[in-house]
Amino acid sequence: MSQTIAAVTGDLKALGSIGYGLAAIGPGVGVGIIFGNGTQALARQPEAAGLIRANQILGFAFCEALALIGLVMPFVYGS
């Protein structure tokens, strides 16, 4: 399958770039959900701002770690 796709694109490095672009969609959506729901939680319960903000930062870090893994994998497994 990958040989067929590589034959169409003509370059395996291009597949890594396309793969990272697709891999960045998930963390981008995740970060949007985290901060959107965090804003709603702060509006509903402002006295819990410290706990909510700490959980937002933790979730953001996990999402960004996934994005960085997606960035590195084409270089690790690329030819």
Side-chain angles (χ1 to χ4, degrees), residues 24-39 56-67:
I25 293 171
V29 169
V31 167
I33 290 171
I34 287 168
F35 285 108
N37 289 336
T39 303
Q56 278 184 318
I57 292 171
L58 185 64
F60 176 75
F62 286 142
C63 283
E64 286 302 312
L66 289 175

Side-chain angles (χ1 to χ4, degrees), residues 4-56:
T4 306
I5 296 171
V8 170
T9 60
D11 188 11
L12 287 176
K13 299 282 184 185
L15 286 178
S17 299
I18 293 169
Y20 175 64
L22 293 174
I25 293 171
V29 169
V31 167
I33 290 171
I34 287 168
F35 285 108
N37 289 336
T39 303
Q40 284 184 355
L42 285 171
R44 291 173 188 235
Q45 197 170 8
E47 64 272 7
L51 179 63
I52 294 168
R53 193 168 293 122
N55 286 332
Q56 278 184 318

